[in-house]
Amino acid sequence: MRDDDRERRRGLILGVLAYASWGVVPLFWRQLRAIDAVEILAHRAVWGLVAFAALTLGTGQAAAVAVAVRQPRTLAILLGSGLLLAANWGLFIWATLSGHLVQASLGYFINPLVSVALGVGFLGERLSRRMQAAIALAAIGVTWLSVASGGLPWIALTLALTFGVYGLIRKVIAVPALVGSTIETAVMAPFGVAYLAVLAARGDGALGHVDARTHGLLVATGVVTALPLAWFTAAARRLPLSTVGLLQYLAPTGQLITALAVFGETLPRERLIAFGFIWAALAVFTVE
């Protein structure tokens, strides 16, 4: 086997691992359902920083982090992207724990199309007729769901928009993925530490009040956060962009299957019709 073929195969395995893990991660968050979503988010920020710092040191990118934090503009932009990511993480955890995983998965199905629209609006990218049709189909699906259910699918739209804008910011700032993620979690971590300290001072919170298994799961939130990203960045270097684009649908597909088969959520007719439009849009998007 040629070296190029070997690298592509390794990239494909790593890409599948990354997106599949994001697809089944609700199973992990459900193990922490006795803990408030904001507290879980605080732990994720703190332990995520530990994990990202270890990865940064292990891959020899600590110097790149030091260079980035000395640039005020870069630091300010990563502060904004970190806040967007925290909002996205927190809402997804809450949706998972509160029985809204189906709608959350819809958000990540919509996300690629939101990213295309943002590229047109902010980067001056041009849309082909097929891409215009894809976005129109997605808009019809969201509109149908809004009318049929009597309100906007705000969880799906917020997840899609926050992650779409986050991706836009990370696209325009010239910072490697791991370096940026390390700085973003470093921005979040002080807020997480402060929140956990307030809970501890009040005698609340999970630390010191739960069993060893739950403590271990809280620490593992850092690994759950950082490891899939490491797999993704390694895959992205080895695979064509078109392959990465197709793999990204593994995550919301896994989330939808988990919601229906494991968590007992339902897919009423109005949601199924909306998903049909979204999936049709994604089919057009994939062909293009």
Side-chain angles (χ1 to χ4, degrees):
M1 183 183 294
R2 295 183 307 172
D3 288 344
D4 287 348
D5 292 337
R6 188 177 293 110
E7 283 297 290
R8 284 198 182 93
R9 177 173 291 186
R10 185 177 300 169
L12 184 61
I13 292 171
L14 291 169
V16 169
L17 282 173
Y19 281 109
S21 65
W22 283 325
V24 300
V25 74
L27 295 171
F28 177 84
W29 300 124
R30 184 57 72 96
Q31 301 302 307
L32 295 167
R33 58 185 175 275
I35 301 174
D36 180 71
V38 177
E39 185 178 356
I40 296 173
L41 178 62
H43 278 284
R44 187 176 187 180
V46 172
W47 299 113
L49 176 59
V50 174
F52 277 122
L55 283 173
T56 301
L57 291 171
T59 56
Q61 297 189 58
V65 172
V67 170
V69 297
R70 288 197 294 268
Q71 299 173 4
R73 178 179 178 274
T74 298
L75 197 58
I77 292 173
L78 288 173
L79 170 62
S81 63
L83 293 175
L84 278 171
L85 191 59
N88 188 273
W89 284 358
L91 181 56
F92 182 74
I93 293 171
W94 176 84
T96 300
L97 300 182
S98 60
H100 297 290
L101 185 55
V102 167
Q103 191 180 153
S105 72
L106 175 63
Y108 290 114
F109 276 120
I110 296 173
N111 175 249
L113 301 170
V114 170
S115 296
V116 170
L118 290 171
V120 172
F122 291 92
L123 302 180
E125 297 177 357
R126 293 181 177 274
L127 283 183
S128 67
R129 289 184 177 179
R130 281 179 178 170
M131 294 305 298
Q132 292 174 13
I135 292 176
L137 285 168
I140 291 170
V142 172
T143 302
W144 166 263
L145 185 58
S146 302
V147 173
S149 61
L152 283 173
W154 67 271
I155 296 173
L157 291 176
T158 304
L159 288 173
L161 287 170
T162 53
F163 203 70
V165 176
Y166 170 78
L168 175 67
I169 292 173
R170 292 300 301 269
K171 180 177 177 63
V172 299
I173 184 172
V175 175
L178 184 57
V179 172
S181 296
T182 302
I183 296 173
E184 286 167 348
T185 50
V187 167
M188 297 182 214
F191 296 100
V193 170
Y195 184 78
L196 295 176
V198 169
L199 289 179
R202 294 194 321 217
D204 298 327
L207 287 178
H209 299 97
V210 293
D211 56 25
R213 175 179 175 275
T214 304
H215 278 103
L217 289 172
L218 290 171
V219 173
T221 59
V223 177
V224 168
T225 298
L227 191 56
L229 180 66
W231 288 335
F232 167 75
T233 53
R237 288 196 300 268
R238 293 173 169 87
L239 292 174
L241 185 60
S242 58
T243 304
V244 176
L246 290 174
L247 287 177
Q248 70 180 319
Y249 300 124
L250 287 175
T253 300
Q255 294 162 11
L256 180 61
I257 293 172
T258 300
L260 298 177
V262 181
F263 294 171
E265 293 188 34
T266 59
L267 193 60
R269 180 173 173 270
E270 65 271 12
R271 283 191 181 180
L272 186 58
I273 293 173
F275 268 91
F277 279 108
I278 300 300
W279 288 326
L282 293 177
V284 175
F285 175 82
T286 302
V287 169
E288 179 67 13

